[in-house]
Amino acid sequence: MKKQALAMLLGTALVFGTLAGCGGSEESKEQPATEDAAESEDSQDAQKTDESKEGEEKGQLMMATTTSTADTGLLDYLAPIFQEDTGYELLWDAVGTGEALKMGENGDVDIVLVHAKASEEQFVADGYGVERFPVMYNDFIVVGPTEPVAATQDIQAVFNQILEEQLPFVSRGDDSGTDKKEKQIWEDLGLDPAADPNYLESGQGMGATLTMADEKQAYCLTDRGTYLKMKKDADVSLGLEIVCEGDANLLNQYGVIAVNPEKYPEVNNEAANAFIEWICSDEIQKLIGEYGVEEYGEALFVPNAGTDA
């Protein structure tokens, strides 16, 4: 009986020992699996965080700019790339350079992209802008009927003939960069366009002014980019041809300036600085230099960030 009892006790002990052993082995196998799962979840969470940062929306950047950057389609092309690269949504108001700078002076925008260097430098000197950065250039051209004005590189000869023969000429007359340039050329040449009774002011943007000049078979000073785009893409065929190009007086330089946050603390200076760094980068300068080549046969702008233009 004692042996039977002892055997039963030993059997019971072996059973419990076996169960304990199985329990310990199972626990040792499950523990690393739990740790691996936790590490995997942490890795996935980190990956999701990185992805959300990359596509994160950071708010809006409000820009005042000249009509030519909008009329050429350049901003429509660049804006989605800027948002993808930085997270900022670019919004803009395309007006004449004078009005764009006034919007900056009033603190209505975060940044200006315009083309009247003397006015831009004054904007900074007066404390409304932080610093001016050159971005790109194209050139101004005179367009109109091929007769009686013959194609030439001499802007003085063209303006002299227009004035002497009282030929129709449509000016923007809107204090834009193009308008400022045209008025400056007349002044530099010692000519008064008011002496021509057929000198008109549209008071509108470049596209509308070109359309008016075309309707009146008049001459007009325009930036090359807007002219090329309208010549190819306008709903109504544009019959104006280039009668003057290549004169040193016809350079059209664009600059970008962040509105001064010390004067207007509410402006989005972080977004403005991000845009300046972005548009002056080698990658985006290359894109600007390629824009328009396939569609119009030549680039609409020439990048020149980093110069003193």
Side-chain angles (χ1 to χ4, degrees), residues 54 58 79-88 278 283-284 287:
E54 185 179 344
K58 296 183 179 178
I81 304 173
F82 175 64
Q83 185 166 11
E84 182 180 350
D85 288 349
T86 68
Y88 293 107
W278 178 84
E283 179 185 356
I284 306 306
L287 292 181

Side-chain angles (χ1 to χ4, degrees), residues 65 67 86 92-93 107 111 130 139 182 205 214 217 246 277 284 307:
T65 187
T67 58
T86 68
W92 62 88
D93 198 348
I111 197 169
V130 179
D139 62 342
E182 181 219 311
D214 192 51
Q217 282 297 284
E277 181 179 355
I284 306 306
T307 69

Side-chain angles (χ1 to χ4, degrees), residues 29-209:
K29 287 179 182 177
E30 287 179 359
Q31 185 64 31
T34 303
E35 289 175 357
D36 288 345
E39 288 176 5
S40 177
E41 287 178 7
D42 289 343
S43 176
Q44 288 175 3
D45 290 342
Q47 184 177 354
K48 288 178 182 177
T49 301
D50 289 341
E51 288 174 356
S52 65
K53 283 181 180 178
E54 185 179 344
E56 182 182 0
E57 294 183 4
K58 296 183 179 178
Q60 297 175 336
L61 172 66
M62 189 64 209
M63 172 189 289
T65 187
T66 178
T67 58
S68 56
T69 57
D71 288 347
T72 56
L74 179 66
L75 291 182
D76 288 323
Y77 170 65
L78 292 179
I81 304 173
F82 175 64
Q83 185 166 11
E84 182 180 350
D85 288 349
T86 68
Y88 293 107
E89 180 186 12
L90 177 64
L91 304 175
W92 62 88
D93 198 348
V95 292
T97 287
E99 188 175 346
L101 291 173
K102 181 61 67 177
M103 292 174 71
E105 290 174 5
N106 293 336
D108 296 330
V109 294
D110 307 308
I111 197 169
V112 297
L113 175 60
V114 289
H115 61 143
K117 185 176 181 179
S119 298
E120 296 164 40
E121 290 175 337
Q122 191 62 50
F123 179 78
V124 173
D126 291 342
Y128 296 109
V130 179
E131 184 178 357
R132 175 187 178 275
F133 295 89
V135 174
M136 60 192 181
Y137 69 90
N138 57 16
D139 62 342
F140 292 106
I141 52 179
V142 179
V143 298
T146 54
E147 292 181 354
V149 176
T152 177
Q153 292 185 349
D154 188 349
I155 188 66
Q156 182 162 8
V158 171
F159 274 22
N160 272 332
Q161 185 176 356
I162 289 170
L163 199 58
E164 289 171 1
E165 299 181 21
Q166 298 190 345
L167 301 174
F169 188 101
V170 179
S171 169
R172 282 182 61 166
D174 62 350
D175 197 35
S176 62
T178 303
D179 185 57
K180 290 175 184 289
K181 170 61 78 170
E182 181 219 311
K183 299 294 195 296
Q184 187 63 52
I185 292 173
W186 287 111
E187 183 179 339
D188 290 346
L189 297 177
L191 303 173
D192 182 7
D196 181 359
N198 295 309
Y199 179 88
L200 307 172
E201 292 188 342
S202 71
Q204 301 185 69
M206 197 68 255
T209 301

Side-chain angles (χ1 to χ4, degrees), residues 15 17 25 51 73 97 108 115 128 151 159 172-173 177 215 219-220 223-224 230 251 254 266 280 288 291 300 303:
V15 169
S25 174
E51 288 174 356
T97 287
D108 296 330
H115 61 143
Y128 296 109
F159 274 22
R172 282 182 61 166
E215 291 170 351
Y219 295 93
C220 177
D223 68 283
R224 186 185 294 270
M230 284 196 65
L251 180 68
Y254 291 78
E266 66 275 16
C280 292
I288 291 173
Y291 178 70
L300 300 193

